[in-house]
Amino acid sequence: MTSTADHKQPISLKVNGALFDVDGTIIISQPALAAFWREFGKDKPYFDAEHVISATHGWRTYDAIATFAPDYLSEEYVTRLEGEIPDKYGKFSVEVPGAVTLCNALNELPKEKWAVGTSGTFEMAHKWFDVLGIKRPSTFITANDVKQGKPHPEPYIKGRNALGFPINEQNPKGSKVIVFEDAPAGIAAGKAAGCKIVGVATTFDVEYLKERGCDIIVKDHRSIRVGGYNPETDEVEFVFDDYLYAKDDLLDW
């Protein structure tokens, strides 16, 4: 059962941890990434930049180059390229509305309850946080930290493990962890990591995100606030004052 209510009441979602993608979820970097791919492809006649732009959102740049320009595949080279993106093309990027406020509220909690799991390299991702003026959480999983990028669940498995909420034999269902995502690869990764998905409709529309299995969908972060932290249950409350869609079983864990 799923629903999109006409007269929505705020939803209180109490979770043990929250994992955030970066590109398209905290910062709208797609125009910067598109500019990068177009520049990258200028001297490569076989490289269809527009196809790569449309096909690889949520991928690691390393995986995109491995697929579409394997002659240039080098971890050191890719890391250098990505690290230059915020410097060269950052003027095209903007905050996902409400992201700074939400992240700052999470940083003010008495215990760190959020982490990052991004397909970007550390060099690029940490610069995006600098651009927005957000203090980075100590758990910051990037492309450099995983062997397999999204849609493989490794980034989010590492994130939830680092927060102290693994899924294992002693805790087969795991704890209540949510993932904030905008892209199919990340949604698939989050679901495979045993998390519920907060879809952010910055890159794809509501119907597309519903089809991919998001549990709740918001336009941006302005409709979300941090309600507080309960040390007895080790839960942080996210209050969704508005949303575009929510599954009927959203609160069932």
Side-chain angles (χ1 to χ4, degrees):
M1 293 288 291
T2 58
S3 69
T4 307
D6 293 326
H7 303 286
K8 298 185 288 289
Q9 295 295 320
I11 290 177
S12 170
L13 193 57
K14 297 176 181 179
V15 302
N16 299 112
L19 306 171
F20 284 75
D21 177 44
V22 176
D23 299 286
T25 302
I26 290 177
I27 188 168
I28 299 174
S29 58
Q30 289 90 329
L33 296 172
F36 157 71
W37 282 123
R38 291 180 182 120
E39 182 66 27
F40 177 82
K42 279 185 176 180
D43 60 350
K44 304 172 184 64
Y46 62 86
F47 188 85
D48 185 345
E50 300 309 314
H51 175 69
V52 173
I53 291 165
S54 65
T56 63
H57 184 68
W59 291 29
R60 295 187 303 172
T61 302
Y62 183 90
D63 295 331
I65 290 179
T67 302
F68 297 105
D71 290 349
Y72 291 84
L73 188 62
S74 159
E75 187 170 342
E76 182 179 350
Y77 177 61
V78 171
T79 297
R80 179 175 65 79
L81 284 180
E82 276 210 354
E84 295 172 350
I85 290 174
D87 301 324
K88 290 184 175 180
Y89 310 107
K91 62 184 178 181
F92 299 115
S93 296
V94 296
E95 169 202 8
V96 173
V100 172
T101 297
L102 180 61
C103 292
N104 286 342
L106 289 168
N107 279 331
E108 292 171 2
L109 293 172
K111 182 177 180 181
E112 191 164 85
K113 303 299 294 177
W114 72 298
V116 160
T118 176
S119 294
T121 61
F122 179 82
E123 281 296 313
M124 182 173 73
H126 94 264
K127 286 183 179 180
W128 287 139
F129 272 65
D130 291 342
V131 166
L132 296 178
I134 302 171
K135 178 185 175 184
R136 294 183 295 277
S138 58
T139 299
F140 203 84
I141 309 298
T142 71
N144 306 99
D145 301 310
V146 299
K147 293 181 179 179
Q148 300 184 84
K150 304 171 188 176
H152 193 278
E154 184 181 356
Y156 288 133
I157 290 174
K158 283 197 168 184
R160 68 178 299 155
N161 288 354
L163 286 177
F165 305 111
I167 296 177
N168 52 40
E169 291 181 2
Q170 289 74 36
N171 189 21
K173 290 186 64 177
S175 300
K176 295 183 286 187
V177 179
I178 56 175
V179 163
F180 287 78
E181 264 288 356
D182 72 304
I187 293 167
K191 292 179 74 66
C195 306
K196 290 200 173 183
I197 310 298
V198 180
V200 186
T202 53
T203 310
F204 299 93
D205 62 28
V206 176
E207 290 304 315
Y208 188 87
L209 294 175
K210 283 169 63 176
E211 291 172 2
R212 293 301 178 277
C214 289
D215 296 282
I216 185 168
I217 302 171
V218 295
K219 179 180 179 182
D220 53 48
H221 299 298
R222 290 175 294 182
S223 61
I224 310 171
R225 54 191 167 89
V226 176
Y229 170 67
N230 185 336
E232 294 184 2
T233 60
D234 195 21
E235 293 176 339
V236 59
E237 180 186 32
F238 288 86
V239 180
F240 296 80
D241 290 313
D242 194 15
Y243 45 94
L244 303 174
Y245 163 84
K247 285 185 176 179
D248 287 339
D249 64 355
L250 174 64
L251 302 181
D252 297 335
W253 293 83

